Amino acid sequence: MAANRERVFVSETDAYLFGNGTHYDIYKKLGAHPSVEEGEKGFFFAVWAPNALAVHVIGNFNDWDEEKCPMTKLNDGGIWTLFIPGIEAGVLYKYCITTEDGTKVYKADPFANSAELRPGTASKTADITNFHWTDGRWMNKRGKKNPNQQPIAIYECHIGSWMKHPDSGDGFYTYREFADRIVEYLKEMKFTHIELIGISEHPFDGSWGYQVTGYYAPTSRYGTPNDFMYMINKLHTAGIGVILDWVPAHFCPDAHGLAKFDGKCIFEDPDPRRGEHPDWGTRIFNLAKHEVSNFLIANVFYWINEFHVDGIRVDAVASMLYLDYGKRDGQWLPNKYGGNENLDAIEFFKHLNSVVHGRDPGFLTIAEESTAWPKITASPEDNGLGFNFKWNMGWMHDFCEYMKLDPVMRKGDHNGMTFAMSYNSAENYILPLSHDEVVHLKCSMVEKMPGYRVDKYSNLRLGYTFMMGHCGKKLLFMGQEFGQEREWSEERELDWFLLSDEQNSGMKYYFSKLLEMYRNYKCLYEIDNDWGGFEWINANDADRSIYTFLRKCPSSRKGLMFVLNMTPVKYEGFRMGVPVNKRYKLILNSTDKQFGGFGDTPVPEIIRPKKGLCDFRDQYIEFDLPAYGGLVFEYSY
């Protein structure tokens, strides 16, 4: 492809659109790109530094000389450009920026497609135009289905700690090596998507990628941009979607990054009451500035167009929507109406979601929003923010708090597990059990559970059954599918050795069967956001801590009935009302021995109803309900 290079340049139109906040392909002009001028091959460099007195490109190609390669200022918009012949991919470089007071600052390229491996802080030239994609079938299908009516089961994953390489210095598998391992695992487990955290370049491993310096650079920890493309291509050809954790709320304050980029605050607000997060020590994007909004929106299109990414999970949305988020009196400024709503962030999200979904209707935007801000997933035309889905943080909190309780205390919090259905129709939800729930002394999912070890695994299988039956798409952080017992740490791999234990191997197998069920039954995903897809049989059996409910959908003649006994008490001759006078087929039992259960309370595979009033219904079924039993029955309408 290098032989077919075309000349790259920034036109007056490019500068105008960027200044207007509507140049969604600006990443093809700003940054460093293979180019040709007057028959000579090289790289074209362009950077936005409106307050600079001078800008020079320095790197290992010119011995980091601060005078050899001066850039030319295009116009008053502040874009500087330079073509340097003879440069190929893989060269380290930075911008030496002379500020208004004559000081020199040394900055990585905000639009760089590759970066030096930490602790180095330079950018690296890259050619991202020569990868041969073979995922056309996946890409053609992506926009033709309504995501609200499709199964979405997401595996949240951190590449560097999923599995450690025994022969590399950092223990990292490359994107290519990781792809070869993760694809087979995800297919075995039946996940539909993988969500990757820590992909945009960041300097500190312990930030998990939530303090970014290179928004346009897949982290060099695991290889090159082409390696990253290989991974996505392989996932797509295996039928697995790719979602990236995306962090537009704040950015890393490190000296080589975006903070005070040209000696002044061009990416952040200069007033710390608007421009800094006091608790996080990070800088806040100034979304009132068109160029900054354009930088972020174009970044989403960069991941879509250049890497075929299928969605973004937007981190810390609440911190963007509220001007006083995490701040005390005196640390924030109200909006022009005197309120705490960030009007620029509201407009930014409407703009982002409108243009992204307008251009690529199959692309998913997912909000991690921790408050009750209304209409997160409503359309901008309906005065919503336009996201496809919102993480149901309330459900996650209530679920974890309930499951942690000693079973004898659960009856006192019975409504904690039913409450989420009272607001289920407010948004399109994803039920997350994310990395945030298994760090900072919160314990892993299995260690949250009460009782002896065998009780913990029984409880967790039961909890996952409830999660799979509840309305909402699904997300689980890596390792929790097999009962990882230690909290997650980015410094070590998951405890794969646990799979030699029957409780862990049973848990892994059970979760795969739950996902298989989820994907095979339309009633579990086709109607997630209204009562047409869900019906309580008995939501109020608090004394026995039992939940019974139905999942259903009009396009299928098959529904599922869930029976969940949240205590270690076996109920002989348990009766429950059923919706129709037809047979009920047991398709999943969390207490089976193959899953690590005791298997000491047989449940008939087929149960036929008896006439009689129960749970306000005209027929009931009767069977022995196992202790900590999570049962799923199939029935026909």
Side-chain angles (χ1 to χ4, degrees):
M1 293 296 291
N4 299 321
R5 285 183 184 176
E6 297 181 356
R7 179 172 177 250
V8 180
F9 64 98
V10 178
S11 68
E12 290 291 340
T13 301
D14 292 324
Y16 170 79
L17 292 174
F18 180 56
N20 200 43
T22 56
H23 197 323
Y24 306 125
D25 295 331
I26 190 63
Y27 61 85
K28 295 181 179 179
K29 301 301 183 76
L30 297 185
H33 303 281
S35 185
V36 60
E37 290 193 14
E38 298 179 354
E40 286 197 84
K41 299 174 186 176
F43 264 74
F44 174 80
F45 297 84
V47 64
W48 179 54
N51 302 299
L53 289 182
V55 184
H56 292 75
V57 183
I58 60 175
N60 57 5
F61 63 93
N62 66 4
D63 296 323
W64 303 94
D65 190 302
E66 298 175 7
E67 301 296 331
K68 280 186 179 179
C69 298
M71 305 183 79
T72 301
K73 192 174 185 180
L74 180 65
N75 58 23
D76 292 339
I79 294 177
W80 300 73
T81 66
L82 176 67
F83 173 77
I84 304 178
I87 289 182
E88 291 291 344
V91 167
L92 298 179
Y93 72 98
K94 280 188 177 183
Y95 296 116
C96 174
I97 299 175
T98 304
T99 67
E100 286 184 344
D101 64 4
T103 303
K104 291 182 177 180
V105 294
Y106 306 90
K107 293 289 186 175
D109 188 345
F111 284 87
N113 298 147
S114 185
E116 184 182 14
L117 179 64
R118 53 94 180 98
T121 58
S123 299
K124 185 185 293 187
T125 56
D127 184 355
I128 63 171
T129 64
N130 57 5
F131 184 80
H132 177 62
W133 291 94
T134 60
D135 65 345
R137 184 179 178 185
W138 172 273
M139 297 300 289
N140 289 334
K141 287 171 57 180
R142 191 170 78 180
K144 296 178 180 178
K145 296 180 178 179
N146 180 352
N148 291 317
Q149 297 177 350
Q150 301 303 311
I152 296 179
I154 303 166
Y155 189 65
E156 188 187 29
C157 186
H158 178 263
I159 293 176
S161 59
W162 183 71
M163 187 177 288
K164 290 291 187 182
H165 196 299
D167 299 321
S168 76
D170 285 316
F172 295 148
Y173 283 99
T174 67
Y175 291 118
R176 292 174 184 263
E177 293 167 334
F178 174 75
D180 294 339
R181 287 156 179 79
I182 196 67
V183 162
E184 292 307 313
Y185 188 76
L186 295 177
K187 288 173 66 176
E188 175 194 357
M189 293 302 298
K190 310 296 191 303
F191 284 96
T192 65
H193 292 72
I194 185 171
E195 181 179 310
L196 297 170
I197 66 177
I199 293 301
S200 297
E201 193 59 82
H202 52 285
F204 177 49
D205 290 10
S207 78
W208 312 331
Y210 291 104
Q211 294 198 17
V212 177
T213 51
Y215 278 82
Y216 286 81
T219 178
S220 56
R221 289 165 175 81
Y222 318 123
T224 67
N226 274 22
D227 295 333
F228 187 60
M229 293 175 183
Y230 172 92
M231 180 190 72
I232 294 177
N233 190 66
K234 182 150 190 172
L235 285 159
H236 280 177
T237 54
I240 299 164
V242 182
I243 298 167
L244 298 188
D245 234 341
W246 190 57
V247 191
H250 58 137
F251 58 87
C252 181
D254 286 29
H256 68 284
L258 302 179
K260 293 188 176 180
F261 185 76
D262 62 1
K264 291 190 174 181
C265 297
I266 63 170
F267 286 95
E268 72 273 38
D269 194 296
D271 190 326
R273 292 173 294 179
R274 288 266 176 90
E276 295 182 13
H277 270 303
D279 290 342
W280 298 343
T282 53
R283 304 294 180 264
I284 302 171
F285 282 107
N286 183 1
L287 296 175
K289 193 175 290 186
H290 290 159
E291 295 89 345
V292 175
S293 172
N294 202 154
F295 171 81
L296 291 169
I297 294 175
N299 184 239
V300 176
F301 280 112
Y302 168 75
W303 295 114
I304 294 174
N305 296 331
E306 306 303 322
F307 294 93
H308 295 194
V309 165
D310 302 292
I312 52 171
R313 174 267 194 185
V314 184
D315 181 62
V317 169
S319 75
M320 301 176 70
L321 293 174
Y322 296 95
L323 294 167
D324 58 346
Y325 185 92
K327 298 180 179 181
R328 298 184 294 274
D329 290 346
Q331 292 183 327
W332 65 282
L333 292 174
N335 62 36
K336 62 183 180 181
Y337 302 112
N340 66 343
E341 302 89 354
N342 188 331
L343 304 180
D344 298 315
I346 295 169
E347 180 58 33
F348 167 76
F349 284 129
K350 290 181 177 181
H351 185 177
L352 168 70
N353 286 312
S354 294
V355 69
V356 166
H357 293 142
R359 289 189 171 196
D360 196 330
F363 188 79
L364 301 178
T365 59
I366 302 165
E368 187 241 355
E369 200 283 318
S370 56
T371 74
W373 186 283
K375 295 190 173 184
I376 296 288
T377 59
S379 69
E381 292 76 15
D382 190 28
N383 201 32
L385 297 186
F387 286 92
N388 292 101
F389 297 103
K390 171 183 172 174
W391 273 21
N392 194 336
M393 310 289 279
W395 175 89
M396 179 176 68
H397 174 269
D398 293 343
F399 174 85
C400 290
E401 289 302 306
Y402 179 90
M403 294 304 299
K404 286 190 295 187
L405 291 173
D406 186 292
V408 75
M409 305 299 293
R410 284 178 174 171
K411 63 182 179 181
D413 190 33
H414 192 77
N415 291 338
M417 293 285 266
T418 65
F419 179 63
M421 282 307 301
S422 70
Y423 60 83
N424 182 65
S425 60
E427 305 281 2
N428 299 320
Y429 286 113
I430 290 176
L431 307 183
L433 293 174
S434 73
H435 70 277
D436 279 331
E437 297 309 300
V438 295
V439 292
H440 303 318
L441 303 180
K442 294 179 184 177
C443 300
S444 66
M445 287 307 302
V446 74
E447 287 299 331
K448 293 183 198 300
M449 303 297 119
Y452 295 107
R453 189 170 187 268
V454 67
D455 297 308
K456 291 178 180 293
Y457 283 88
S458 296
N459 269 282
L460 190 56
R461 291 193 302 272
L462 184 59
Y464 286 161
T465 311
F466 178 85
M467 175 190 188
M468 210 58 63
H470 198 284
C471 289
K473 311 307 181 186
K474 323 300 177 186
L475 178 141
L476 189 72
F477 184 58
M478 64 180 194
Q480 310 314 305
E481 75 280 7
F482 64 78
Q484 168 85 12
E485 294 183 352
R486 291 191 292 177
E487 284 191 337
W488 172 59
S489 169
E490 81 283 351
E491 296 180 350
R492 60 174 183 258
E493 72 174 10
L494 299 180
D495 291 336
W496 296 105
F497 61 84
L498 288 173
L499 288 174
S500 62
D501 185 281
E502 65 178 11
Q503 287 294 335
N504 299 93
S505 60
M507 175 64 72
K508 176 173 172 284
Y509 182 48
Y510 185 66
F511 200 83
S512 73
K513 297 302 287 184
L514 283 172
L515 287 179
E516 182 179 37
M517 175 187 71
Y518 173 67
R519 296 180 68 164
N520 286 342
Y521 286 88
K522 285 186 177 182
C523 62
L524 291 178
Y525 58 77
E526 192 168 83
I527 301 178
D528 264 330
N529 61 354
D530 69 46
W531 288 100
F534 184 96
E535 182 180 340
W536 289 111
I537 293 177
N538 192 338
N540 301 310
D541 196 351
D543 286 342
R544 296 188 296 183
S545 296
I546 295 174
Y547 301 92
T548 51
F549 59 86
L550 307 172
R551 290 303 306 272
K552 52 189 182 176
C553 66
S555 68
S556 171
R557 297 186 63 85
K558 290 183 178 179
L560 291 180
M561 183 170 69
F562 287 76
V563 186
L564 303 159
N565 177 11
M566 296 296 187
T567 72
V569 178
K570 172 184 174 181
Y571 291 99
E572 296 182 353
F574 173 76
R575 291 185 180 185
M576 60 176 291
V578 291
V580 292
N581 190 18
K582 294 185 178 181
R583 71 174 195 165
Y584 291 80
K585 179 182 178 182
L586 180 69
I587 63 169
L588 208 54
N589 181 348
S590 70
T591 68
D592 279 354
K593 284 187 175 181
Q594 62 181 332
F595 305 134
F598 289 114
D600 58 351
T601 305
V603 179
E605 183 179 350
I606 302 295
I607 305 179
R608 298 187 181 277
K610 300 175 183 179
K611 287 290 186 180
L613 188 64
C614 184
D615 294 323
F616 301 100
R617 299 172 189 269
D618 293 330
Q619 56 275 323
Y620 66 90
I621 59 175
E622 186 173 2
F623 56 92
D624 292 343
L625 178 58
Y628 289 136
L631 309 179
V632 187
F633 294 90
E634 175 195 293
Y635 71 99
S636 299
Y637 298 164

